Amino acid sequence: MIKLTLKDGTVRECAEGTAAEITKSIGMGLYKAACLCKINGEVKDLRTPVTEDCAFEVLTFEDEEGARAFRHTASHILAQAVKRLFPEAKLAIGPAIDSGFYYDFDIDTPFTMEVLEKIEDEMKKIVKENLPIEQFELSEEEALKLMEEKGEPYKVELIKEHAGKGEKISFYKQGEFTELCAGPHIPDTGRVKAFKLTSCTGAYWRGDSNNKMLQRIYGTAYPKKDALEAHLQQMEEAKKRDHNKLGRELEFFTTSDVIGQGLPILLPKGARVIQLLQRFVEDEEQKRGWQLTKTPYMAKSDLYKISGHWDHYRDGMFVLGDPDKDDEVFALRPMTCPFQYQAYLNRARSYKDLPLRYNETSTLFRNEASGEMHGLIRVRQFTISEGHLMCTPDQLEDEFKHCLELAIYCLKTIGLYEDVSYRFSKWDPNDREKYIGTAEQWDEAEGKMQKILEDLNIDYKIGIGEAAFYGPKLDIQIKNVYGKEDTLITIQIDQMLAKNFGMEYTDSDGSKKNPYIIHRTSIGCYERTLALLIEKYAGAFPLWLAPEQVRILPIADRHLEYANSIKDRLERLNVRVTVDSRSEKTGYKIRAAQVEKIPYMVVVGDNEVQDGTLSVRKRGAGDLGAMTTDAFCNSVITDVAERTIW
C-alpha cells in the first residue's frame, strides 16, 4: 500500500497502480473527468505508474493543464480524421491554444466549410471508437525512418532539429494514427464529447513568409455539449466586438495593401483616442517624476551591438543596409532603452541624481512574422509608453512598486484592470543562447523580483523562457475577445546592460557603481490598447475617451443657428462636438448617432429655441428630457474631468 496526499491535504491509502487506476479508486466521477494528474507537483499522463508515497492531484478540464491536454488530443483527432479522408495530406503542427486548438496541413484540396463538415463527421466516428491513446519512444534514427516511411516531411524536419542530442523521440498512437508529440494527452478519444471546427485560414510553415503556405484548421473542444454551445455563443458575441471588424466599421483604423501588412492607418477617430491616451499618460508620468525624452527612430548597428540586440534580436529588426558590404549599417529601433542610456551618459552621475526616470512616447519597429499579425493587436510599427529608470540597489523595490502603481492606475482609469493577470517571466537556463549574463546574475535578479512580488502580494503565474534576454519581467497579461492572451504592460529588472554601456554613478563612499535599471511601460502599446478598448466597450467609449462626445441634432434648418451656438459654447469647454445639419428626419439622425456610439445626442427644435433648453439623450440611458444649457455643460465637463466610465 502507498499513501497519497491529496490537494485538500487529506491522506489516502491505496494499492500501487497507474494514475488512472488510483484516480478511479478515489472516485468514479473524478476518474471520468480526469485529463492528467500531478505527482509531487509534476504534470503526468494518467498511465504513469504510482509506486510510492507522493502528493497526488487529479487535473480535469477545469485546470489549465488539463484543458490544454484535452484540446491537444482534439487536434490529434482532427489530424487523424484528415488523414483518413485525405491520405495525401502532410501533417505540420497542431497545438492547443487558449480557446481551442488548430492543426496545419499541406494539401492541395481547399478546406471549405463543406469539407470541414465532412472532417467533423469523421472526428465523431473516431470519438465513438473510443481509441486508447498510447505513448511510445524511438531513437532519433528510428523516428526519422518512421516519419520518412509515412511521407511526413514536416515531422522529419522537426526530428532533425533534435539530432545529435541522444534523446528519445516521443510519439503518441491512437488506432492507425501515429503522431510525433511530446504530450501529455488524455487517456482515450472517447472523452472528447463536444467539439466544433470553426474556421480555416492560410498559415506559413513556422510563420515564415519564405516557407510554404499551409492550411490551418481552427477548432474548439469541451467535455460537455452545453459548455461547447455556451462557448460558441460567446464567440458569436466576440465576432461582433472584434476590433478588426468593428474598428474598421466605426472608422477607427484601416489598412492598405500598397502600404503593407502590420502597418495600420489610424483614421481621425482612432488617432484622437490615442492622442487622448498619450496626453493622459504623459501628464500622469510627469506628476510622478518622470522626465520626457525624444530620441531617434534609428541608430547604427554599433549601438545595438553594445546592448545585445544585434546578437539576440536582429531577426526582429528592420536593418537598413548590408552588414556584409556597408561600412555603416543602421536599424530602426525595436525599443528605446539603448537611446535613453545615452541620455544618462550625457554627464557624470552621483547617487544624489538617482533615481533618474526617463519616459518617452516611442514609435518602435519590429519585423513580426506575417502569420502573427492581427489588426492593431500585433503590428510592425507601433507606439508605446516606454520608460527607463536608473536607481541604486536599495531604491529598487520602492521604484518597482511605483512603476506598478502607475500601471495599475492607468489600467483602472481606462477600465481594463479587472481583465488583466500577472506573469513572472523567467529565463530558461537550458537555452543559454537566448540570454546574456551569468546564472548567478539571473538568480540574483529573479530573486529580487520574486521578493518584490511577494512583498506586494501579487498573484502571478510563472513563464519559463519568457524573460527578456537581459533580465526577468513582470508581464501584465490580457486576453482579446477570442481568448488569445497577449502582454499589455511589462516591468523589467535589468542589472546587466548598465555595465555594457559604461553607465556608472558615484556612490556616497566615492566608489563607482553601475545602477540597476527598471524597464517599464505605463499603458503599453497604444495601438494594442485601442484594440482592447474597442472590444471591451464594443466601440462605445467612455465619455472622456470618445472621439466625438456630443452630437447636436437640429430638427429643421431654422434651428441651425441655435444648434451652432450650443456647439460654440461646448467647444470653448474643450468638448468634442458636431452638428448634424443634414436634411434628414430626426429619427434617422438619432439612429445614425446610435450606430456610431455617440455618448450624448442633443435634439433642438422650436421648443428648445424658445425656452433656451436642450433635449438630451444619453447613450445607454435614453431620453433624459429637457435640460438647461448650464446643467448639461456642467454634467459633461464633470464626467470628463472625473474620467467616469459608463
Side-chain angles (χ1 to χ4, degrees):
M1 299 293 285
I2 59 174
K3 291 182 179 179
L4 304 178
T5 303
L6 304 182
K7 186 177 181 180
D8 62 5
T10 60
V11 177
R12 294 279 297 270
E13 285 193 350
C14 63
E16 295 181 7
T18 65
E21 291 167 341
I22 288 174
T23 302
K24 189 180 292 185
S25 72
I26 294 173
M28 181 56 73
L30 189 60
Y31 168 71
K32 289 181 178 179
C35 295
L36 303 170
C37 68
K38 272 187 182 177
I39 301 174
N40 292 328
E42 189 174 349
V43 176
K44 296 286 188 180
D45 190 287
L46 286 172
R47 292 185 183 80
T48 304
V50 183
T51 58
E52 57 186 25
D53 297 351
C54 63
F56 187 83
E57 180 183 347
V58 178
L59 299 176
T60 70
F61 189 82
E62 301 306 314
D63 300 290
E64 182 178 349
E65 298 99 328
R68 293 191 77 81
F70 186 94
R71 286 168 169 161
H72 190 33
T73 299
S75 80
H76 279 213
I77 295 172
L78 164 61
Q80 183 178 11
V82 169
K83 289 294 284 186
R84 283 184 177 183
L85 296 171
F86 306 97
E88 74 280 9
K90 307 302 179 188
L91 304 176
I93 58 171
I97 54 178
D98 287 339
S99 59
F101 59 89
Y102 69 78
Y103 209 108
D104 291 345
F105 301 94
D106 184 354
I107 183 172
D108 292 333
T109 303
F111 284 150
T112 61
M113 291 309 296
E114 290 77 15
V115 173
L116 292 189
E117 288 176 9
K118 293 178 182 178
I119 296 170
E120 273 190 4
D121 290 340
E122 192 63 38
M123 291 175 69
K124 290 174 184 175
K125 294 178 185 177
I126 295 168
V127 170
K128 193 172 182 180
E129 290 168 18
N130 195 25
L131 301 172
I133 301 171
E134 301 171 346
Q135 184 185 28
F136 65 93
E137 293 181 333
L138 298 175
S139 67
E140 293 172 4
E141 295 78 11
E142 292 170 327
L144 279 172
K145 182 180 178 183
L146 177 63
M147 289 296 102
E148 286 170 349
E149 288 175 350
K150 287 183 173 292
E152 298 291 356
Y154 299 100
K155 304 298 183 183
V156 169
E157 181 179 330
L158 293 172
I159 293 169
K160 285 182 177 179
E161 291 184 354
H162 290 81
K165 297 181 180 179
E167 300 173 350
K168 291 284 188 180
I169 306 297
S170 172
F171 290 85
Y172 276 82
K173 184 177 187 299
Q174 55 196 53
E176 83 288 354
F177 180 72
T178 299
E179 169 71 297
L180 171 72
C181 182
H185 282 275
I186 62 177
D188 53 68
T189 62
R191 299 187 184 214
V192 185
K193 300 293 187 185
F195 58 85
K196 180 69 178 175
L197 301 183
T198 53
S199 65
C200 182
T201 64
Y204 290 111
W205 169 237
R206 298 194 146 178
D208 187 341
S209 59
N210 295 314
N211 292 333
K212 187 170 184 180
M213 175 72 78
L214 309 177
Q215 293 190 73
R216 173 173 296 177
I217 297 178
Y218 283 97
T220 191
Y222 285 84
K224 295 182 179 179
K225 187 176 180 180
D226 57 349
L228 173 64
E229 289 174 351
H231 171 78
L232 294 176
Q233 186 175 348
Q234 181 184 346
M235 288 301 98
E236 285 303 310
E237 178 62 25
K239 289 178 184 177
K240 297 175 187 175
R241 290 175 174 261
D242 183 351
H243 85 278
N244 210 13
K245 175 179 181 289
L246 188 58
R248 295 172 191 271
E249 290 174 353
L250 294 177
E251 297 188 334
F252 280 87
F253 76 99
T254 189
T255 52
S256 167
D257 289 341
V258 297
I259 290 178
Q261 193 178 8
L263 299 168
I265 300 165
L266 292 175
L267 299 173
K269 288 182 181 179
R272 178 66 72 192
V273 173
I274 286 184
Q275 180 191 57
L276 293 164
L277 288 170
Q278 288 180 1
R279 288 173 175 174
F280 156 63
V281 170
E282 287 185 356
D283 287 348
E284 191 60 36
E285 288 172 336
Q286 183 175 327
K287 291 176 190 174
R288 297 177 188 237
W290 290 84
Q291 301 180 60
L292 189 65
T293 65
K294 285 290 182 185
T295 57
Y297 285 5
M298 67 178 76
K300 295 193 297 183
S301 60
D302 306 47
L303 181 73
Y304 305 116
K305 288 174 182 176
I306 298 171
S307 67
H309 289 98
W310 197 251
D311 292 329
H312 295 273
Y313 204 82
R314 192 182 350 174
D315 288 345
M317 297 167 65
F318 289 101
V319 177
L320 310 177
D322 187 339
D324 298 324
K325 296 179 181 178
D326 300 335
D327 293 334
E328 241 182 17
V329 175
F330 287 78
L332 298 176
R333 62 181 184 186
M335 58 278 295
T336 311
C337 43
F339 297 83
Q340 290 193 326
Y341 298 163
Q342 300 304 309
Y344 179 93
L345 291 165
N346 182 54
R347 62 175 174 83
R349 304 291 177 180
S350 158
Y351 72 97
K352 294 182 179 180
D353 296 319
L354 305 182
L356 182 58
R357 309 178 187 96
Y358 287 140
N359 67 301
E360 183 162 336
T361 302
S362 306
T363 299
L364 304 180
F365 306 86
R366 296 185 185 175
N367 190 12
E368 300 282 2
S370 59
E372 294 296 319
M373 287 179 290
H374 171 65
L376 298 176
I377 293 282
R378 192 172 293 275
V379 291
R380 285 176 168 153
Q381 176 184 310
F382 57 95
T383 309
I384 193 168
S385 56
E386 202 164 11
H388 299 90
L389 184 153
M390 283 60 69
C391 64
T392 65
D394 61 332
Q395 294 169 337
L396 182 67
E397 183 166 353
D398 280 345
E399 292 303 319
F400 190 99
K401 179 181 177 183
H402 295 329
C403 290
L404 182 55
E405 286 172 345
L406 172 59
I408 291 173
Y409 173 78
C410 291
L411 288 171
K412 285 183 175 179
T413 303
I414 64 176
L416 292 180
Y417 184 66
E418 63 187 23
D419 303 323
V420 303
S421 60
Y422 294 98
R423 183 181 71 193
F424 178 9
S425 294
K426 297 184 174 183
W427 78 317
D428 182 355
N430 297 316
D431 194 2
R432 293 292 286 112
E433 293 183 359
K434 280 177 62 177
Y435 308 98
I436 62 174
T438 64
E440 291 75 19
Q441 286 175 310
W442 277 94
D443 288 344
E444 181 183 352
E446 290 185 351
K448 286 181 180 293
M449 181 170 280
Q450 183 170 339
K451 180 181 182 301
I452 291 170
L453 297 181
E454 289 173 355
D455 288 347
L456 293 174
N457 261 341
I458 298 297
D459 182 18
Y460 59 84
K461 295 185 294 186
I462 292 177
I464 301 297
E466 298 293 339
F469 69 82
Y470 49 76
K473 303 185 293 176
L474 176 65
D475 291 323
I476 301 180
Q477 304 289 103
I478 194 165
K479 293 180 179 179
N480 67 11
V481 287
Y482 294 109
K484 184 181 183 303
E485 186 173 88
D486 281 297
T487 300
L488 183 59
I489 292 173
T490 66
I491 307 173
Q492 309 168 12
I493 292 178
D494 170 14
Q495 61 174 356
M496 302 187 198
L497 292 185
K499 184 175 181 180
N500 289 10
F501 278 90
M503 298 165 66
E504 295 179 334
Y505 66 93
T506 303
D507 208 353
S508 56
D509 61 2
S511 62
K512 297 288 188 181
K513 293 183 179 177
N514 302 119
Y516 270 86
I517 301 173
I518 297 175
H519 306 237
R520 69 99 187 107
T521 56
S522 300
I523 209 169
C525 166
Y526 285 102
E527 288 82 359
R528 182 173 294 177
T529 300
L530 174 60
L532 293 164
L533 290 172
I534 291 171
E535 294 182 350
K536 169 82 173 182
Y537 298 114
F541 278 72
L543 181 66
W544 75 277
L545 276 177
E548 183 181 347
Q549 296 167 315
V550 179
R551 182 172 294 179
I552 303 172
L553 313 178
I555 293 175
D557 288 348
R558 64 181 178 275
H559 308 126
L560 267 174
E561 183 179 352
Y562 183 63
N564 284 319
S565 71
I566 303 301
K567 175 178 179 285
D568 292 343
R569 180 166 178 184
L570 287 167
E571 284 181 334
R572 288 195 294 272
L573 296 170
N574 293 319
V575 176
R576 296 181 292 281
V577 54
T578 63
V579 173
D580 188 344
S581 58
R582 294 176 297 172
S583 298
E584 300 284 356
K585 292 181 178 179
T586 304
Y588 178 89
K589 294 180 181 181
I590 289 173
R591 287 191 294 275
Q594 289 171 333
V595 168
E596 294 183 53
K597 321 284 188 180
I598 309 301
Y600 280 110
M601 288 172 272
V602 174
V603 180
V604 293
D606 290 337
N607 292 337
E608 287 75 26
V609 172
Q610 181 177 338
D611 298 339
T613 59
L614 311 172
S615 180
V616 179
R617 298 178 64 91
K618 183 177 181 180
R619 187 185 64 208
D623 190 355
L624 301 184
M627 298 177 66
T628 66
T629 305
D630 286 345
F632 178 68
C633 290
N634 289 337
S635 176
V636 171
I637 61 176
T638 298
D639 271 2
V640 171
E642 294 177 355
R643 299 193 178 99
T644 306
I645 294 176
W646 50 265

